[in-house]
Amino acid sequence: MQKMLAILSQVLRGPAQKTGAASEAARVLVASRNYADFASEATFDIKKCDLHRLEEGPPSQAVLTREEGLKFYRSMQTIRRMELKSDQLYKQKIIRGFCHLYDGQEACCVGLEAGIKPTDHLITAYRAHGFTYTRGISVKEILAELTGRKGGCAKGKGGSMHMYAKNFYGGNGIVGAQVPLGAGIALACKYFGNDEICLTLYGDGAANQGQIFETYNMAALWKLPCIFICENNRYGMGTSVERAAASTDYFKRGDYIPGIRLDGMDVLCVREATKFAAEHCRSGKGPIVMELQTYRYHGHSMSDPGISYRTREEIQEVRSKSDPITLLKDRMVNNNLASVEELKEIDIEVRKEIEEAAQFATTDPEPPLEELCNHIYSNEPPFEVRGPNPWIKYKSVS
Amino acid sequence: MASASSRVLLRRRAAGVLLRERLRLGPEPPRRAVSHFTFYPDPEPSEYGPTQKMNLFQAITSALDNTLSRDPTAVIYGEDVAFGGVFRCTVGLRDKYGKDRVFNTPLCEQGIVGFGIGVAVAGATSIAEIQFADYIYPAFDQIVNEAAKYRYRSGDLFNCGSLTIRAPWGCVGHGALYHSQCPESFFAHCPGIKVVIPRSPVQAKGLLLSCIEDKNPCIFFEPKILYRAAVEQVPVEPYHIPLSQAEVLQEGSDVTLIAWGTQVHVIREVATMAQDKLGVSCEVIDLKTILPWDKDTICKSVIKTGRLLISHEAPLTGGFASEISSTVQEECFLNLEAPIARVCGYDTPFPHIFEAFYVPNKWKCFDALRKIINY
């Protein structure tokens, strides 16, 4: 059987167009043999969180069902492959400009999404591709946005840093500027009394911006249902946290706001902590800070090779010892939640999805020139936008 | 005109597709990177001693190197400057002068500038880098309310004149909304600071040294598209190019063309096109200092030519061209033969994929020039 599957997957790596039918066959094959043998769930010990101003923290054990595990695996693998594809498209000069990749941090966005409801709100900075995906935008629309095409999720007008979805407020370009917005969203949640919360994300670099502290104060003062989430990937652009922050205990930097620090490379740990933090907010206790300890494999952006301020060995060590996808995969396989073959099959499907999306993102047309002037203001009837000189005018609609 | 230039682009694109099909190269990558200007190097300066081939970022490094070596109070700080900065302007300076003089700050622009004012007011030479001009807005309050007003509000007892803020500026081919802006006119509205934008490596070094030594807080915007694209023979020793003095790059009799930064190279090309195609003689002026600006050179030129075209990348409405044209119509009303033309960016945020259409390229300038000639 092993051999047969190996042959099958060889076949699957062949001509891309034919994989549809073949993988269908593979799925049937695996299903007929294995599904009944798998455990339906398993319990795992997860790393204990560090706590600040909290008596109790998230549980130190988490239950993972087979179904969830497969879902998490597929999401994380999709994000990983999407980012690697973006890297490739960037190097081919098809994606241009400023592009910040998320590979290495997949457990954060997938775990956070698993700990909240789709109706909850989320806002982040410019490393936004992963969140755009977990908030429900297809790979196709994300890649098309990156390449600036009409079918992109912001109509090709935003690019890498500016992507949006329902209850996902972007995608913001200026370091730290999204944090006060997040508290504002939380204020609206509280005002509407709809039991919704806002996840407000920023990096370890942005944690030193003044407006974060202004926001902490307002959020605590008004007991806003806001989870401040610091994705600490150890480097703010090219500066390590130790060289940029007087205190690298980011979970304590809300001072009067309770905080938890957790392993951001473990999707289960992120999910449990998020559930805990969400419950804290929903119960009316006000804001809470989460520090997710994570790592980005790529440089800060595409112009940063990512090795002038850290060693290749360091990156290699994280990859080999704490990769979020490998961690989940090992847990699932070792506890009979899934088989290696089955996960490989997911990999193949993901790869196919990414290839198709990339095909779309490179062939979809760019938006028409009229789009240059649309959406500057909300206006009815259309107003005239002055062009480079008094003789060029464009109609702007919204 | 936009449609004409888009036709040209489309025609080029169609030709490219044919060629690529013939060569079986697959889909064509988008043509966004085509540069909208040709760099015009100046002749090698002879008055400042030996020169070296440098691009614009190396000229900046050279100016900072000169400053650090001659002025023991000078310090340089900003996001990632210690290992050279994202545009490599401070490469090697930390190793040469020590990590107490060239150091990284956290990502906090308001803090960087406020801190820089403090360093300056205490008597040191304070050189801040804001990583992109687009990121300067968190520091807007510190610049406008603190730096610019310190001398005035203390009756000249205190000042932060030794503060210089450097920031990469302008379009770069693919920078989109937050890595392309030209915010000079926001600061032009603020008495108490100086705003300077160089067009070339030689200019960059001389003007930056003048800014650093000037007794007023200065903002020095560096056209980032020129960092590597512009190469000249730049003097190794320090030298100064005076602030608030525009430079007539080419004398002419029919039209005055004004620009600063990258756009200077666009209007130089337009002047050549005007001469070749229309037999029109253009006077080309690089304004260099936006605030306080050199009215005399501009007005003298317009009195001679009777026509004026101003071009900048920033949006048309409220751009610095508005101030120039308003002043010129007051000073030279009876000399004007045609309305003053402004060829600028669109009144839109800086677009992601429409950059090629957005920038006021030579065709748009040439078209406007033809209109004011035929007025």
Side-chain angles (χ1 to χ4, degrees), chain A residues 217-246:
Chain A
N217 182 49
M218 287 188 283
L221 185 67
W222 299 325
K223 286 199 182 316
L224 302 181
C226 183
I227 311 181
F228 294 104
I229 300 160
C230 177
E231 280 182 286
N232 175 4
N233 62 22
R234 299 198 223 164
Y235 299 91
M237 297 196 290
T239 304
S240 68
V241 290
E242 295 80 14
R243 290 188 287 137

Short mmCIF file of all heavy atoms in Angstrom, two decimals, chain A residues 217-246:
data_model
loop_
_atom_site.label_atom_id
_atom_site.label_comp_id
_atom_site.label_asym_id
_atom_site.label_seq_id
_atom_site.Cartn_x
_atom_site.Cartn_y
_atom_site.Cartn_z
N ASN A 217 -4.05 53.10 27.44
CA ASN A 217 -4.71 53.91 28.46
C ASN A 217 -6.21 54.03 28.21
O ASN A 217 -7.03 53.78 29.09
CB ASN A 217 -4.06 55.29 28.52
CG ASN A 217 -4.67 56.15 29.60
OD1 ASN A 217 -4.82 55.72 30.74
ND2 ASN A 217 -5.05 57.36 29.24
N MET A 218 -6.56 54.38 26.98
CA MET A 218 -7.98 54.55 26.67
C MET A 218 -8.73 53.23 26.83
O MET A 218 -9.83 53.18 27.39
CB MET A 218 -8.16 55.07 25.24
CG MET A 218 -7.77 56.52 25.10
SD MET A 218 -8.19 57.18 23.46
CE MET A 218 -6.89 56.50 22.47
N ALA A 219 -8.11 52.15 26.32
CA ALA A 219 -8.78 50.85 26.35
C ALA A 219 -9.02 50.39 27.78
O ALA A 219 -10.09 49.84 28.11
CB ALA A 219 -7.96 49.82 25.59
N ALA A 220 -8.04 50.62 28.66
CA ALA A 220 -8.20 50.21 30.06
C ALA A 220 -9.19 51.12 30.78
O ALA A 220 -10.03 50.66 31.56
CB ALA A 220 -6.85 50.22 30.76
N LEU A 221 -9.08 52.40 30.49
CA LEU A 221 -9.95 53.38 31.13
C LEU A 221 -11.43 53.08 30.85
O LEU A 221 -12.28 53.14 31.73
CB LEU A 221 -9.58 54.77 30.60
CG LEU A 221 -10.28 55.98 31.20
CD1 LEU A 221 -9.88 56.16 32.66
CD2 LEU A 221 -9.94 57.24 30.41
N TRP A 222 -11.69 52.72 29.61
CA TRP A 222 -13.08 52.49 29.21
C TRP A 222 -13.45 51.00 29.17
O TRP A 222 -14.49 50.63 28.66
CB TRP A 222 -13.34 53.14 27.84
CG TRP A 222 -13.11 54.62 27.85
CD1 TRP A 222 -13.37 55.49 28.88
CD2 TRP A 222 -12.55 55.43 26.80
NE1 TRP A 222 -13.02 56.77 28.54
CE2 TRP A 222 -12.51 56.76 27.26
CE3 TRP A 222 -12.08 55.17 25.51
CZ2 TRP A 222 -12.02 57.82 26.49
CZ3 TRP A 222 -11.60 56.20 24.74
CH2 TRP A 222 -11.57 57.52 25.23
N LYS A 223 -12.55 50.16 29.65
CA LYS A 223 -12.78 48.70 29.68
C LYS A 223 -13.25 48.16 28.32
O LYS A 223 -14.30 47.51 28.21
CB LYS A 223 -13.79 48.33 30.78
CG LYS A 223 -13.22 48.42 32.20
CD LYS A 223 -14.10 47.60 33.13
CE LYS A 223 -13.69 47.63 34.58
NZ LYS A 223 -12.28 47.49 34.86
N LEU A 224 -12.48 48.43 27.30
CA LEU A 224 -12.89 48.03 25.95
C LEU A 224 -12.59 46.55 25.71
O LEU A 224 -11.57 46.03 26.16
CB LEU A 224 -12.16 48.87 24.91
CG LEU A 224 -12.37 50.38 25.03
CD1 LEU A 224 -11.62 51.11 23.92
CD2 LEU A 224 -13.85 50.73 24.97
N PRO A 225 -13.48 45.86 24.97
CA PRO A 225 -13.24 44.44 24.65
C PRO A 225 -12.20 44.30 23.54
O PRO A 225 -12.52 43.97 22.41
CB PRO A 225 -14.63 43.95 24.21
CG PRO A 225 -15.30 45.17 23.65
CD PRO A 225 -14.76 46.34 24.41
N CYS A 226 -10.96 44.56 23.90
CA CYS A 226 -9.90 44.59 22.89
C CYS A 226 -8.77 43.67 23.33
O CYS A 226 -8.27 43.78 24.46
CB CYS A 226 -9.40 46.03 22.76
SG CYS A 226 -8.15 46.25 21.51
N ILE A 227 -8.35 42.76 22.47
CA ILE A 227 -7.16 41.95 22.76
C ILE A 227 -6.01 42.58 21.98
O ILE A 227 -6.02 42.61 20.75
CB ILE A 227 -7.33 40.49 22.33
CG1 ILE A 227 -8.65 39.90 22.84
CG2 ILE A 227 -6.16 39.65 22.83
CD1 ILE A 227 -8.86 38.44 22.46
N PHE A 228 -5.04 43.12 22.70
CA PHE A 228 -3.84 43.64 22.05
C PHE A 228 -2.90 42.46 21.83
O PHE A 228 -2.53 41.78 22.78
CB PHE A 228 -3.17 44.68 22.93
CG PHE A 228 -3.98 45.92 23.11
CD1 PHE A 228 -4.67 46.16 24.29
CD2 PHE A 228 -4.06 46.87 22.10
CE1 PHE A 228 -5.43 47.31 24.45
CE2 PHE A 228 -4.81 48.02 22.25
CZ PHE A 228 -5.50 48.24 23.43
N ILE A 229 -2.53 42.23 20.59
CA ILE A 229 -1.70 41.06 20.30
C ILE A 229 -0.38 41.49 19.68
O ILE A 229 -0.36 42.05 18.58
CB ILE A 229 -2.43 40.08 19.36
CG1 ILE A 229 -3.74 39.63 20.04
CG2 ILE A 229 -1.55 38.88 19.04
CD1 ILE A 229 -4.75 39.08 19.09
N CYS A 230 0.68 41.25 20.41
CA CYS A 230 2.01 41.58 19.91
C CYS A 230 2.61 40.33 19.30
O CYS A 230 2.92 39.37 20.00
CB CYS A 230 2.88 42.10 21.05
SG CYS A 230 4.57 42.44 20.53
N GLU A 231 2.75 40.31 17.98
CA GLU A 231 3.43 39.19 17.32
C GLU A 231 4.92 39.49 17.41
O GLU A 231 5.44 40.29 16.64
CB GLU A 231 3.01 39.09 15.86
CG GLU A 231 1.69 38.42 15.63
CD GLU A 231 1.37 38.31 14.14
OE1 GLU A 231 1.02 39.33 13.52
OE2 GLU A 231 1.46 37.20 13.60
N ASN A 232 5.57 38.87 18.36
CA ASN A 232 6.98 39.13 18.58
C ASN A 232 7.80 38.14 17.76
O ASN A 232 8.01 37.00 18.17
CB ASN A 232 7.28 39.00 20.08
CG ASN A 232 8.75 39.14 20.39
OD1 ASN A 232 9.56 39.42 19.50
ND2 ASN A 232 9.11 38.96 21.65
N ASN A 233 8.28 38.61 16.59
CA ASN A 233 9.10 37.72 15.76
C ASN A 233 10.58 38.04 15.93
O ASN A 233 11.40 37.72 15.08
CB ASN A 233 8.65 37.74 14.30
CG ASN A 233 8.77 39.11 13.66
OD1 ASN A 233 9.53 39.96 14.11
ND2 ASN A 233 8.04 39.33 12.58
N ARG A 234 10.90 38.71 17.03
CA ARG A 234 12.27 38.97 17.49
C ARG A 234 13.01 40.10 16.78
O ARG A 234 14.05 40.55 17.24
CB ARG A 234 13.15 37.72 17.42
CG ARG A 234 12.64 36.59 18.29
CD ARG A 234 13.76 35.61 18.51
NE ARG A 234 13.30 34.24 18.38
CZ ARG A 234 14.11 33.20 18.22
NH1 ARG A 234 15.41 33.40 18.13
NH2 ARG A 234 13.63 31.99 18.14
N TYR A 235 12.49 40.55 15.63
CA TYR A 235 13.19 41.64 14.93
C TYR A 235 12.20 42.68 14.42
O TYR A 235 11.26 42.34 13.72
CB TYR A 235 13.99 41.08 13.74
CG TYR A 235 15.04 40.09 14.17
CD1 TYR A 235 14.75 38.74 14.24
CD2 TYR A 235 16.30 40.54 14.57
CE1 TYR A 235 15.70 37.83 14.68
CE2 TYR A 235 17.26 39.63 15.02
CZ TYR A 235 16.95 38.28 15.07
OH TYR A 235 17.87 37.40 15.52
N GLY A 236 12.42 43.93 14.80
CA GLY A 236 11.68 45.03 14.21
C GLY A 236 12.50 45.53 13.03
O GLY A 236 13.54 46.15 13.23
N MET A 237 12.08 45.21 11.84
CA MET A 237 12.91 45.39 10.63
C MET A 237 14.27 44.74 10.89
O MET A 237 14.33 43.53 11.09
CB MET A 237 13.02 46.86 10.26
CG MET A 237 11.64 47.43 9.91
SD MET A 237 11.65 48.98 9.03
CE MET A 237 12.20 50.11 10.25
N GLY A 238 15.35 45.52 10.96
CA GLY A 238 16.66 44.90 11.13
C GLY A 238 17.21 44.99 12.54
O GLY A 238 18.40 44.77 12.76
N THR A 239 16.37 45.33 13.51
CA THR A 239 16.87 45.51 14.87
C THR A 239 16.24 44.48 15.79
O THR A 239 15.02 44.36 15.86
CB THR A 239 16.56 46.94 15.36
OG1 THR A 239 17.13 47.86 14.42
CG2 THR A 239 17.18 47.20 16.71
N SER A 240 17.07 43.74 16.52
CA SER A 240 16.53 42.71 17.39
C SER A 240 15.83 43.36 18.57
O SER A 240 16.12 44.51 18.93
CB SER A 240 17.65 41.81 17.88
OG SER A 240 18.50 42.53 18.74
N VAL A 241 14.92 42.63 19.18
CA VAL A 241 14.11 43.21 20.26
C VAL A 241 14.97 43.76 21.39
O VAL A 241 14.69 44.82 21.94
CB VAL A 241 13.08 42.21 20.82
CG1 VAL A 241 11.99 41.95 19.81
CG2 VAL A 241 13.72 40.90 21.24
N GLU A 242 16.08 43.06 21.70
CA GLU A 242 16.92 43.50 22.82
C GLU A 242 17.52 44.86 22.54
O GLU A 242 17.78 45.64 23.46
CB GLU A 242 18.07 42.51 23.08
CG GLU A 242 17.63 41.14 23.54
CD GLU A 242 17.15 40.26 22.39
OE1 GLU A 242 17.41 40.62 21.21
OE2 GLU A 242 16.51 39.23 22.65
N ARG A 243 17.77 45.17 21.27
CA ARG A 243 18.40 46.43 20.95
C ARG A 243 17.38 47.55 20.75
O ARG A 243 17.75 48.70 20.56
CB ARG A 243 19.28 46.28 19.71
CG ARG A 243 20.53 45.44 20.01
CD ARG A 243 21.49 45.44 18.86
NE ARG A 243 21.01 44.63 17.76
CZ ARG A 243 21.07 44.99 16.49
NH1 ARG A 243 21.59 46.14 16.15
NH2 ARG A 243 20.63 44.19 15.56
N ALA A 244 16.09 47.21 20.75
CA ALA A 244 15.08 48.24 20.49
C ALA A 244 14.18 48.52 21.69
O ALA A 244 13.58 49.58 21.77
CB ALA A 244 14.22 47.83 19.30
N ALA A 245 14.08 47.57 22.61
CA ALA A 245 13.10 47.72 23.68
C ALA A 245 13.75 47.64 25.06
O ALA A 245 14.55 46.74 25.32
CB ALA A 245 12.03 46.64 23.57
N ALA A 246 13.41 48.60 25.93
CA ALA A 246 13.95 48.59 27.29
C ALA A 246 13.43 47.38 28.05
O ALA A 246 14.11 46.82 28.89
CB ALA A 246 13.57 49.88 28.00
#
